Amino acid sequence: MELYYHSTRNEKERVSASKAILQGLANDGGLFVPESIPALDTDLDHLKDMSYKEVAYEVMKLFLTDFTKEELMYCIEHAYDDKFDTKELVPLKKVDNAWVLELFHGPTIAFKDMALSILPYLMTTSAQKNALKEEIIILTATSGDTGKAAMAGFADVPGTRIVVFYPKNGVSPVQEKQMLTQRGKNVKVVGITGNFDDAQSGVKQMFHDGALKEKLREGGFVFSSANSINIGRLVPQVVYYVYACAQLLKRGAVKPGEKINVCVPTGNFGNILAAYYAKKMGAPIGRLICASNSNKVLYDFFRTGTYDKLHSLDEKAGEFNTDRHFMLTSSPSMDILISSNLERLIYTITGEDTKKNSAYMESLAKEGKYHLSDAEKAKLADFTGGCAGEEEVAQRIKEVFESDGYIMDTHTAVASSVEKKCRRELGGAATLIASTASPYKFLRSVLSAIDEKKYASLSDEALFNEMEKLSSVAIPPAIQDILSAPVLHDTVCETGDMEKEVLKFLGL
Ligand SMILES: *Cc1c(COP(=O)(O)O)cnc(C)c1O
């Protein structure tokens, strides 16, 4: 049976999976959601003996029902090859009584690679299936990791071009160098003078601009998105949660029937939503722990059922009574106040009511907030929100290094800190922490958490060597690459000039 997708804001815009992938965002500004979440049709006992790629097929075939087996296998085989620096693709490590799922062994050493190494294949296959004539223009806003991973995936892929916008002063030096050294005739990187939310809004605006769309069509182009709103990103992310559950069963970390809590360092809410979908498919997942850094809008939301991007919750008073400011932290990929993918959860907990969801999203756009009803709030019980400030993150990195000799990146440390704080309260047979980046990527923050005085005066290059000594993990090829690669991009623009830059790149 074919699974269709429709917008979170109206049921009438109904498309196949391949069309949803090509289009990225629904025309009404909503996100595509599957009409139902499919149930796993292979039990964990079988999945536990399968390779990552085999599990990927078992999960993805249920969501992308208009792809043939050959097409899906082709995409999976080409995505998960020796671009990854480990044969297991996603190693699981036991660290201080939790299981750390290392999702950062792909070409850009962040978890975005798990989805972005397959998205170009899913997209070009979708273009063929739908006899698309236009060249696909991928437009992406990035808080640091998506941009590089998307460019690495789409570089020199025939029939596509990609433009990435990032906050000029809001990404780590390694992240920026990774982007600015990207090769490929079809790639363009632009720093903007605003923050990530500005970049994301600018991109969304271009997607919704009818006149711009028409202009592109005349030029033989069509926009699509590699952001985590694309279901072609979301579906491949469901895979590793199912795989990890099966592997924990195989290792005897849990017994059949026992539940695994999952803790995810969260920004745009894509990764944790994938874990929620895995749970709905039947994976033995207990609580979903949503870990935020100091930009704790999601923490406040799970506490109260109110999403307020303008005001921050004062827990003692139980009121949103202070202005919320966007903060730059040591975990920049989570510095987000508008979590796009949350809309898919809101849609689900309103009882899949597109009207109610639309009303909430309109309220968010107009007033900067919305309040769930009590009945809706009760349906958030699968989730626990937690947050960790900068000091807690640094302390956790140091503590885990000292207890286990394991070095985690700043994003993973947000999750680990939160996990530790709610461990006793939540119980559960085992907890899985999604580790979203290599510590090499956030080198200076990580090492100064371990010993601020010792490392403060060292250059980045010296720090790479220190990290290698301390972690006993060899400098990843992705880092060796950027140390020698020339900078190829230097465009910076005002937030208001994003469209101009796109048109210039396309020669329109
Ligand atoms: C993108 C990213 C996150 C946040 O993931 P979301 O799916 O946006 O919630 C966390 N950590 C790292 C390293 C990332 O790159």
Side-chain angles (χ1 to χ4, degrees):
M1 239 196 27
E2 184 158 359
L3 180 63
Y4 284 91
Y5 291 75
H6 65 67
S7 166
T8 46
R9 299 184 194 178
N10 86 79
E11 290 93 11
K12 292 198 197 85
E13 195 177 340
R14 185 172 183 261
V15 296
S16 63
S18 64
K19 283 224 170 87
I21 290 172
L22 283 176
Q23 208 176 311
L25 203 63
N27 284 318
D28 61 2
L31 276 58
F32 285 117
V33 277
E35 289 189 328
S36 62
I37 307 279
L40 285 169
D41 60 2
T42 313
D43 58 39
L44 232 48
D45 211 40
H46 284 95
L47 290 168
K48 77 182 188 342
D49 295 317
M50 289 186 187
S51 70
Y52 188 86
K53 290 191 233 181
E54 287 167 332
V55 174
Y57 176 70
E58 290 302 317
V59 171
M60 292 176 65
K61 72 173 190 194
L62 300 171
F63 282 99
L64 310 181
T65 52
D66 67 330
F67 283 64
T68 64
K69 179 166 186 180
E70 290 66 36
E71 286 168 343
L72 258 187
M73 297 293 276
Y74 162 84
C75 295
I76 291 168
E77 285 296 333
H78 283 79
Y80 303 118
D81 60 8
D82 56 14
K83 286 193 283 299
F84 284 75
D85 65 20
T86 51
K87 230 176 85 215
E88 334 154 64
L89 296 172
V90 290
L92 260 170
K93 302 205 169 137
K94 190 154 194 194
V95 178
D96 186 26
N97 280 318
W99 291 89
V100 173
L101 180 65
E102 293 188 349
L103 300 171
F104 55 75
H105 289 276
T108 75
I109 57 174
F111 95 98
K112 305 285 197 295
D113 290 325
M114 298 311 301
L116 282 165
S117 51
I118 194 165
L119 184 67
Y121 294 102
L122 295 175
M123 206 170 266
T124 46
T125 304
S126 297
Q128 278 164 14
K129 295 175 77 64
N130 291 281
L132 190 79
K133 290 181 210 73
E134 291 90 359
E135 188 172 355
I136 299 171
I137 309 304
I138 304 291
L139 220 52
T140 287
T142 184
S143 56
D145 290 328
T146 296
K148 176 64 185 186
M151 286 190 289
F154 280 97
D156 293 325
V157 171
T160 70
R161 294 193 211 184
I162 174 164
V163 187
V164 167
F165 293 96
Y166 74 97
K168 178 69 192 152
N169 297 314
V171 301
S172 86
V174 173
Q175 286 177 317
E176 183 168 44
K177 184 89 193 283
Q178 276 188 314
M179 288 193 276
L180 299 185
T181 53
Q182 178 64 46
R183 296 177 191 88
K185 284 203 251 337
N186 62 338
V187 308
K188 169 91 184 163
V189 192
V190 181
I192 67 156
T193 49
N195 62 33
F196 171 71
D197 287 327
D198 298 326
Q200 182 157 262
S201 313
V203 164
K204 274 198 172 173
Q205 220 169 326
M206 283 189 261
F207 272 116
H208 294 143
D209 184 335
L212 180 61
K213 237 184 239 177
E214 200 38 50
K215 194 166 184 174
L216 251 74
R217 195 171 319 232
E218 283 165 15
F221 303 110
V222 60
F223 279 144
S224 190
S225 163
N227 273 88
S228 63
I229 48 172
N230 193 313
I231 58 127
R233 286 261 317 258
L234 192 57
V235 170
Q237 291 179 177
V238 178
V239 173
Y240 47 74
Y241 289 110
V242 173
Y243 177 79
C245 289
Q247 288 298 312
L248 288 178
L249 185 67
K250 183 174 187 167
R251 292 177 184 214
V254 288
K255 297 190 201 69
E258 282 183 336
K259 296 269 198 275
I260 299 159
N261 295 328
V262 175
C263 182
V264 185
T266 297
N268 225 354
F269 209 75
N271 200 3
I272 193 165
L273 186 77
Y276 181 61
Y277 279 16
K279 178 177 165 104
K280 294 205 140 223
M281 293 182 86
I285 292 173
R287 200 69 75 99
L288 297 146
I289 307 165
C290 175
S292 300
N293 65 20
S294 315
N295 293 294
K296 63 178 186 68
V297 61
L298 286 168
Y299 170 78
D300 293 351
F301 170 70
F302 285 113
R303 284 273 127 151
T304 61
T306 295
Y307 193 95
D308 188 333
K309 68 168 184 182
L310 300 176
H311 305 94
S312 190
L313 175 68
D314 173 345
E315 278 192 86
K316 283 202 194 91
E319 286 169 23
F320 285 82
N321 58 7
T322 43
D323 285 347
R324 191 189 290 288
H325 297 288
F326 185 95
M327 283 191 261
L328 292 175
T329 71
S330 60
S331 43
S333 303
M334 298 161 67
D335 290 344
I336 293 173
L337 293 181
I338 305 171
S339 297
S340 299
N341 269 294
L342 188 66
E343 181 169 344
R344 289 189 166 108
L345 177 66
I346 301 301
Y347 162 79
T348 303
I349 60 139
T350 54
E352 309 192 344
D353 185 330
T354 53
K355 284 210 180 67
K356 271 193 195 154
N357 177 62
S358 300
Y360 286 144
M361 294 308 132
E362 201 177 309
S363 166
L364 179 64
K366 288 206 176 116
E367 292 157 45
K369 64 181 171 191
Y370 55 83
H371 315 277
L372 299 185
S373 70
D374 286 345
E376 288 160 353
K377 193 186 159 208
K379 290 200 217 154
L380 295 178
D382 287 328
F383 291 85
T384 295
C387 64
E390 292 294 271
E391 259 173 50
E392 289 175 292
V393 171
Q395 200 185 345
R396 187 65 187 148
I397 291 172
K398 187 177 167 78
E399 186 177 281
V400 168
F401 172 64
E402 284 169 356
S403 67
D404 291 63
Y406 183 83
I407 302 188
M408 42 181 58
D409 99 288
T410 44
H411 303 74
T412 310
V414 171
S416 178
S417 170
V418 166
E419 187 273 330
K420 194 183 168 201
K421 280 192 274 187
C422 56
R423 190 181 291 170
R424 200 161 338 125
E425 176 201 334
L426 293 185
T431 300
L432 187 72
I433 293 175
S435 177
T436 50
S438 158
Y440 277 99
K441 202 157 188 175
F442 301 95
L443 188 68
R444 193 165 289 278
S445 304
V446 169
L447 286 176
S448 64
I450 291 172
D451 189 339
E452 192 167 357
K453 280 206 199 83
K454 182 166 171 196
Y455 299 115
S457 60
L458 298 186
S459 70
D460 277 358
E461 269 186 86
L463 290 184
F464 285 123
N465 294 322
E466 291 295 322
M467 179 69 88
E468 187 164 43
K469 265 192 273 173
L470 219 53
S471 63
S472 313
V473 174
I475 297 179
I479 293 291
Q480 285 163 7
D481 242 25
I482 60 160
L483 286 175
S484 53
V487 168
L488 301 172
H489 305 268
D490 61 1
T491 310
V492 177
C493 80
E494 305 273 323
T495 310
D497 290 336
M498 291 168 61
E499 180 179 326
K500 256 192 229 154
E501 289 299 333
V502 172
L503 293 175
K504 212 190 307 168
F505 178 56
L506 300 181
L508 291 176

